[in-house]
Amino acid sequence: MDKILEAMMLSRHPTSVKHVLVRRILEAAKEPLNSKQCIAMFELSTKFILLGDTQFKKDVGKEVLEAFAQNHTADFEDFFNVKFILKLLQDGYGTLSKRSIEILEYIQLGLKYIQDDVSADEVFHVLQIELLRIVCEKPRSKLCACISKILAEYPQCIPSGKFQVVFCQQLVRSIGQFQCGSQEEDEIVEFLDEVNKVSGLLHRIWRTQTAAIIPSLRELFTVISSTDESDGPSNALATVVQYVPLEIMDGVIQNLTNDDCIIDVEMMTALTNMIDWLSWPLAKNIDKWIIGLLKGLAAVKKFSILIEVTLSKIEQVFSRLFYPIVRAGALAVLKYMLLSFQHSPEAFHVLVPHIPKLMVSLSKEESNSGISCRQQLSELVHCMIFRFSGFPDLYEPVIEALKDFPIPNEEKIKQLLNQNAWTSQKNTLEPLYPRLTAKSDTGKTGLANLGNTCYMNSVIQALFMASDFRHAVMLLKESDSQSLMMKLQWLFAFLEHSQRPAISPSSFLKASSPPWFNQGAQQDCSEYLRYLLDRLHEEEKTRKGTSYGQRHSGIETRIEGQDPGKTLIERMFGGKMVTRILCHCCCNVSFREEAFTDLSLAFPPPNKVLQRCDHSTDPNITMKITGADNLASQVEQQHMTAKSPNKQTQTKPKEPSLRMVPSEIMGSHGKGKKEDPSSRVMQNYDSSPFSSMLRNDFAVASGEKVCDSASCRSVSDLINYFLSPEMLSGDNRYYCNRCTSLQEAEKVVELTGNPHYLILTLLRFSFDLVTMKRRKILDNVSVPLVLKLPIRIDSKDEHTIHGKNQQCELGNWKPFAEDTTYLSIIYDLCSVVVHSGISSESGHYYCYARECVDANSVIGPSEILDAEGRADEKWYLYNDTRVSFSSFESISNVTNYFPKDTAYVLFYRQRLTRQSCSDGEPVSANVGLYGEAGLNKELIEAISRDNIQYLQEEEKEARKRADCITPVTMPSWWRRFDDDENGGSSGSCGPAAGGGSDLGSFGRLIF
C-alpha cells in the first residue's frame, strides 16, 4: 500500500485522481493491518510531511499519518518512540536541520496519539530536556513560538523542578534576541503574534509556579542592563513585564535600587532599554514599571541616573505621542519625567520647539485619543511654563498652539508640580543643578541660582550690562580684596572673561545679602538693588582719601570736571530732586532737596487721569507739538507777550501755584524734527514764582503702544504722576510753620540732578487692607525705548549750556528762582528686570538687557532721533544660567502673552551729547566712559587659571562619559567661589575664595 501511494504521488496523474487514491487508502486504514505495513505507512507519511516539495504532499502525509495513528495506536507508539524523537531533534531528518520548525510541528502532531502510559512519560521527559536545550540556544521567534505552541498544548513537556526556573530564564534571554527583520505589515503582525505566544507561555508558567517570577525578572534585568551588546535587547521584552503582577512591583524595584552590586551604568542602561519598550504596541503596564523605577531611583537619590536618562530619552518619549497605539503609556511617562525634572528647564526646553507640531498633528486625528492627549498635554505644558517662567521668546509659539485650551488654576498647577518632584533634597541635587553642556551662543556667561536667588542674579546681570558702570568697576584699584566693590569687580570680570557657561555667585551673595534676608527665601530685587548700591556707596565714602580714591587715570581723561569727592555710585546712579510744598493760606513755600539712586513710581488710582492740557489753560503759554504724525512729540513753550509787550501789561498776575513739567517719550516709527531735543528748554517768565501747572500726557514711544484703558499705563504716565502736584487736604493737611497750623497745601516734586543711569522701580506690590496681605498690581505698563526727562535748572545759566565750553555752571543755582528753565534729558532703555508671579514672596525674576552705548556721541541741532534703529540693537534675555538672544518686541509683548510677567525695575542710560549736563558735571563730546578694561594682574591670572582648569575638567569629563555615566559630582562648569584648590576659585569671581535630535523627522516605531 505504501508503494502504491508513493508511486501515485510521484506520478503525473491529475490531482483529482490522486485524491481518489488517497481516500481509498484512508478508508483502508480502518482495516486491520500488520505492524510492518503500518510502520511503512508511518515512515512514508513522515517523509511527505517533512520533505514534501508541495503543500499537497504535506497535507496528504498529515492525513495518512493521523488516520493510521488513530486506528493503529500501538503500532504508532512503537514508531513514534523516544529514540525516533531524539534522532529528529539531534540529527534532523533528511535535508532538514535539527532546528527546523517542520520537525517541531511534526512532533506536536505525533504527541496527539501518544497514550498516557509509561512510554508517553518517557517521551515527555525527553522533550523537557531537549526543548530546554533548544531554548538555551536562543532560537528565533518562529522556532520559539513553535515550542510555545507545543508546551501550551502539552504542559507535560514543560521542564519541571529546578529546570523550570532555568527554562523561564532562558526563555527571557531568547525573547531579548527577537528581531523583526521586515517592515511589511503582514510580517510585523506575524512577528507580534509569535512574541505574544512566547510571553504567554511564561505567563502560564508563572500562574502555576509563582516562585519562577523573581528569578525570571532577575534574568530580565541582567539582559537589559548588559552593556556588552551593541544593538541592545529586543523591545519584545515589554511583553514579559506586562504579565508580572503589579502587587510585587514595589518590592522588586526596592530590591533593585538598593542592591549595591548594581552599578550606576547598569541601572542607567536598564532604564534606558525599558523606556524603549514604550514603542511596543499594546503592551500593558510598561509605563507603570518605568515610572516605578524612576521613583525608586529618586528615593535612593540616584539623581545622576535620572538626569542622564531623562535628558537622553525624553525626546524619544515625546515622539511616541504621534502614534495612537502607544500614546497612553508614553504620555504617562512623559508627564512624570517633566513633573519630576523641576530643578532645571533643560528637559522641558528640549521639547518646547516641537510642541506646536504635535498639537497640529493631534488636531487632525479627530479621535478621542487625540483630544484627550491635547488636553493633558496643554495642562502639562502650562505647569512647566509656570514652573520655569522667564522665557517669553521660547514660549510664545507654544502659548499660541495652546490658545484653545483653558489654563489650569494655580492650585491645580501647584498640586501637579508637587506630586512627583524629586527636588526636595536640595543639597543633594545642587551639584547637578542645572546641567549645561556648552556656553550660550550669545557668548555671555550666566549665574547659577543658589536657591531662590534669581532676585540677585537679575540685578547683577542688569548692572553688568550697564557698560559704563561695569568698566568703571573693572578699572578700580584697591588693596583690600575683601571689600564689596572688589568682590563685584571679580564677579564682573569672570562674567565677561570666563569660558564657563555659568558661574556661581555664592561668595558675592554672602557678602552682599542684607542681614534681614532669610537664606533660601524669595526676596524683592529692588530692595536688594537699593541695599547693594547703598553699601557700595557707603563703603567707598569711608575709604575716601586712601588708596580707594586713586583710580585708573583713564577714567579722569574721559570724564572731565567730575567732583573727585563723589563716589562711583553717585556718579553713575546719583540724581537729585526737590520736594516743594506751597501753603494755600500764606503762599509760603518750603522745600527739601534729597539725593536718589532710583525713582519709585507708584500707580495712579484708577480714577486719576492726567488730562491733556488745552492751549487756553494759560494765555501766556502755548504748546506746539511738532512731528505728531511721526510719533515724535516735542513740546515748545513760547512766551506770547515776548512778541506783544502791550499784552503783557494787561495780563493780571495769577495766584502762585506749583508747576509740573511732563516727561516725554520718543517715537520709533519715524524721524524727529531736526532740532536739538537733548537740551530743549521750556521757560516761564511769569511774575509769580511759578507758572501755572502745565498738564500733558504723551502716550507714544519707541515700541510703545497707545493705552486706551485705565488699566494699561505707560512709564511716562507713572513719571508724570510722580511729578504731578499733590493736594494735601483733609486728614492729610500740611503743618505750615508760618501759619503754625494745619493748612491745605500743594506738594510737587521736581528733578534737579539727572543720573547717568536712571533706575525706575514700578511699585507693583501693595498691601491689601481687606486680605491683610501684600498683593501685586498686574497692570500692563508700556515700556518706552527712549525717554525724555525734565530737569529743572536756573534759567540764568542757560547760556552756559550753549556756550563755548558746553558746561552747566549750577553751583549758584537757586531752588526757587523766578526765571526757571527745564532741560530735557534723553534716556535710552538698557535693562528691564521682569517679575513673574503674583506676589513679592514668590515668583521668579529675569532680565532683558543690551549693551547701550552712544552710536553717535556728537549730537547737536542736526541730530535725527531714530529710536527705531536703536530698537533693532541686540537684546539678551538673562535667566539665571541661561542667556539667549531676544528683542525689544519681546519686552513689549511679554505681559500680553504672560499676564503674570510684568516689568518691575527699568534701567535707562543717559544719551551723552555735547549738550548733556549731569548735575553740573559736563561730559566731553568724545565720551566713551570706558575703554578696554585693564584688569589687575592677580585677577587676570585667576581668570586664566580657571579657564585652563575648566578645559581640563571638560576633557576629563568627556573621557569619563565615554566609559560610564558621569558620577554624582559637581559639574565642571559650576563651581562655587570657595572651591579653589590652589589659591583661586574654580569658576569663581570672588577674592574671598582665594584669588582666582531633530524631532521633525520622527522614525517609525521600531519593534
Side-chain angles (χ1 to χ4, degrees), residues 477-595:
K477 304 296 182 182
E478 169 57 47
S479 59
D480 183 7
S481 63
Q482 299 302 314
S483 68
L484 186 60
M485 185 66 82
M486 288 300 101
K487 291 179 184 290
L488 182 62
Q489 183 187 73
W490 279 64
L491 180 58
F492 279 178
F494 269 79
L495 283 175
E496 184 158 351
H497 299 291
S498 176
Q499 294 185 18
R500 298 178 183 270
I503 59 176
S504 170
S506 56
S507 63
F508 190 81
L509 171 65
K510 183 177 180 180
S512 65
S513 180
W516 60 89
F517 276 17
N518 294 325
Q519 183 177 1
Q522 181 63 281
Q523 306 294 345
D524 189 332
C525 78
S526 67
E527 183 179 5
Y528 173 78
L529 172 61
R530 194 173 295 113
Y531 175 81
L532 175 62
L533 296 181
D534 287 346
R535 275 278 309 276
L536 294 171
H537 167 69
E538 293 298 330
E539 184 182 78
E540 182 178 359
K541 204 172 173 186
T542 59
R543 297 178 185 272
K544 279 294 181 182
T546 63
S547 61
Y548 201 88
Q550 300 174 7
R551 292 175 170 76
H552 194 281
S553 58
I555 293 290
E556 274 68 34
T557 58
R558 292 179 178 270
I559 303 179
E560 303 171 1
Q562 286 192 342
D563 183 356
K566 283 196 171 185
T567 66
L568 177 61
I569 300 302
E570 287 179 306
R571 295 199 306 274
M572 289 293 173
F573 304 101
K576 291 183 181 179
M577 59 183 175
V578 170
T579 302
R580 295 180 290 165
I581 301 179
L582 171 66
C583 176
H584 282 188
C585 178
C586 67
C587 295
N588 179 55
V589 177
S590 62
F591 67 93
R592 182 182 72 255
E593 185 178 43
E594 54 188 324

Side-chain angles (χ1 to χ4, degrees), residues 328-346:
L331 182 58
V333 174
L334 179 69
K335 289 174 66 174
Y336 179 78
M337 279 184 161
L338 286 178
L339 291 173
S340 62
F341 202 93
Q342 293 188 34
H343 68 282
S344 164
E346 188 174 1

Side-chain angles (χ1 to χ4, degrees), residues 934-981:
L935 302 178
N936 64 70
K937 182 179 179 181
E938 181 186 11
L939 184 51
I940 293 175
E941 291 177 351
I943 296 172
S944 300
R945 187 166 58 245
D946 180 72
N947 285 337
I948 293 173
Q949 182 177 347
Y950 170 67
L951 295 177
Q952 294 172 344
E953 291 168 352
E954 285 291 283
E955 181 179 0
K956 182 179 178 181
E957 183 179 359
R959 292 179 177 178
K960 187 178 295 183
R961 285 163 100 57
D963 299 329
C964 63
I965 184 175
T966 303
V968 186
T969 56
M970 192 171 298
S972 61
W973 58 268
W974 178 5
R975 297 287 296 274
R976 290 182 175 277
F977 293 174
D978 49 1
D979 288 336
D980 185 30
E981 300 175 356

Side-chain angles (χ1 to χ4, degrees), residues 169-186:
Q169 291 176 325
Q170 294 303 315
L171 206 58
V172 169
R173 282 195 170 273
S174 297
I175 296 174
Q177 299 295 317
F178 290 172
Q179 296 296 334
C180 180
S182 174
Q183 298 294 336
E184 297 296 329
E185 183 176 350
D186 293 341

Side-chain angles (χ1 to χ4, degrees), residues 760-1001:
L760 304 177
T761 301
L762 311 188
L763 299 180
R764 289 191 173 276
F765 302 110
S766 61
F767 189 79
D768 193 331
L769 295 177
V770 178
T771 61
M772 301 301 292
K773 295 181 180 179
R774 291 187 74 190
R775 69 178 186 89
K776 180 180 178 181
I777 301 174
L778 295 173
D779 293 359
N780 190 6
V781 175
S782 182
V783 178
L785 187 65
V786 181
L787 180 69
K788 290 179 65 179
L789 199 66
I791 304 297
R792 184 180 186 272
I793 62 175
D794 191 344
S795 62
K796 73 178 183 178
D797 296 313
E798 178 192 354
H799 67 280
T800 63
I801 299 176
H802 303 285
K804 181 177 180 181
N805 295 328
Q806 306 294 334
Q807 295 183 358
C808 302
E809 300 292 342
L810 302 183
N812 299 322
W813 177 79
K814 297 180 181 180
F816 307 111
E818 294 185 1
D819 291 339
T820 304
T821 61
Y822 288 87
L823 181 67
S824 290
I825 302 298
I826 293 181
Y827 282 91
D828 294 304
L829 181 67
C830 57
S831 297
V832 178
V833 177
V834 177
H835 177 264
S836 175
I838 59 173
S839 71
S840 60
E841 290 79 18
S842 62
H844 179 64
Y845 290 100
Y846 56 94
C847 172
Y848 290 95
R850 64 169 173 167
E851 295 278 1
C852 190
V853 296
D854 295 296
N856 181 10
S857 60
V858 182
I859 304 177
S862 62
E863 179 214 12
I864 298 177
L865 294 178
D866 188 359
E868 187 172 11
R870 292 177 176 265
D872 294 336
E873 291 179 4
K874 187 179 297 182
W875 285 85
Y876 301 95
L877 175 56
Y878 285 88
N879 193 335
D880 290 335
T881 56
R882 185 179 188 271
V883 187
S884 58
F885 291 112
S886 188
S887 64
F888 180 68
E889 182 180 4
S890 177
I891 302 174
S892 303
N893 295 327
V894 63
T895 307
N896 295 329
Y897 281 101
F898 308 96
K900 296 179 183 178
D901 291 27
T902 53
Y904 184 37
V905 179
L906 313 177
F907 283 69
Y908 282 89
R909 177 184 181 274
Q910 179 183 344
R911 187 180 296 182
L912 298 179
T913 71
R914 283 178 174 166
Q915 287 77 26
S916 293
C917 175
S918 178
D919 193 21
E921 299 170 1
V923 182
S924 61
N926 62 345
V927 165
L929 285 182
Y930 55 85
E932 184 64 27
L935 302 178
N936 64 70
K937 182 179 179 181
E938 181 186 11
L939 184 51
I940 293 175
E941 291 177 351
I943 296 172
S944 300
R945 187 166 58 245
D946 180 72
N947 285 337
I948 293 173
Q949 182 177 347
Y950 170 67
L951 295 177
Q952 294 172 344
E953 291 168 352
E954 285 291 283
E955 181 179 0
K956 182 179 178 181
E957 183 179 359
R959 292 179 177 178
K960 187 178 295 183
R961 285 163 100 57
D963 299 329
C964 63
I965 184 175
T966 303
V968 186
T969 56
M970 192 171 298
S972 61
W973 58 268
W974 178 5
R975 297 287 296 274
R976 290 182 175 277
F977 293 174
D978 49 1
D979 288 336
D980 185 30
E981 300 175 356
N982 188 24
S985 59
S986 173
S988 162
C989 52
S997 110
D998 186 5
L999 213 57
S1001 56

Side-chain angles (χ1 to χ4, degrees), residues 96-216:
L96 290 179
S97 68
K98 60 182 180 181
R99 295 297 179 254
S100 296
I101 294 175
E102 290 83 355
I103 290 178
L104 290 178
E105 291 176 342
Y106 172 79
I107 292 175
Q108 181 180 4
L109 179 62
L111 290 176
K112 187 186 299 183
Y113 303 102
I114 295 295
Q115 297 296 326
D116 191 9
D117 54 18
V118 177
S119 61
D121 291 340
E122 292 177 356
V123 171
F124 292 145
H125 180 68
V126 168
L127 286 175
Q128 288 179 6
I129 297 175
E130 291 303 317
L131 292 180
L132 175 58
R133 192 192 310 275
I134 296 174
V135 171
C136 288
E137 296 173 358
K138 300 178 183 177
R140 294 185 178 182
S141 59
K142 288 184 182 294
L143 187 58
C144 227
C146 189
I147 295 174
S148 300
K149 288 174 63 178
I150 295 174
L151 299 182
E153 189 172 357
Y154 303 102
Q156 305 94 318
C157 298
I158 298 175
S160 58
K162 62 179 181 180
F163 294 109
Q164 189 173 76
V165 173
V166 175
F167 178 79
C168 290
Q169 291 176 325
Q170 294 303 315
L171 206 58
V172 169
R173 282 195 170 273
S174 297
I175 296 174
Q177 299 295 317
F178 290 172
Q179 296 296 334
C180 180
S182 174
Q183 298 294 336
E184 297 296 329
E185 183 176 350
D186 293 341
E187 295 189 22
I188 291 176
V189 173
E190 183 181 358
F191 174 71
L192 295 176
D193 182 62
E194 293 165 357
V195 174
N196 288 334
K197 288 178 180 177
V198 179
S199 60
L201 173 62
L202 271 175
H203 185 212
R204 280 189 291 273
I205 296 175
W206 289 349
R207 281 189 301 180
T208 58
Q209 297 294 332
T210 56
I213 297 178
I214 298 301
S216 300

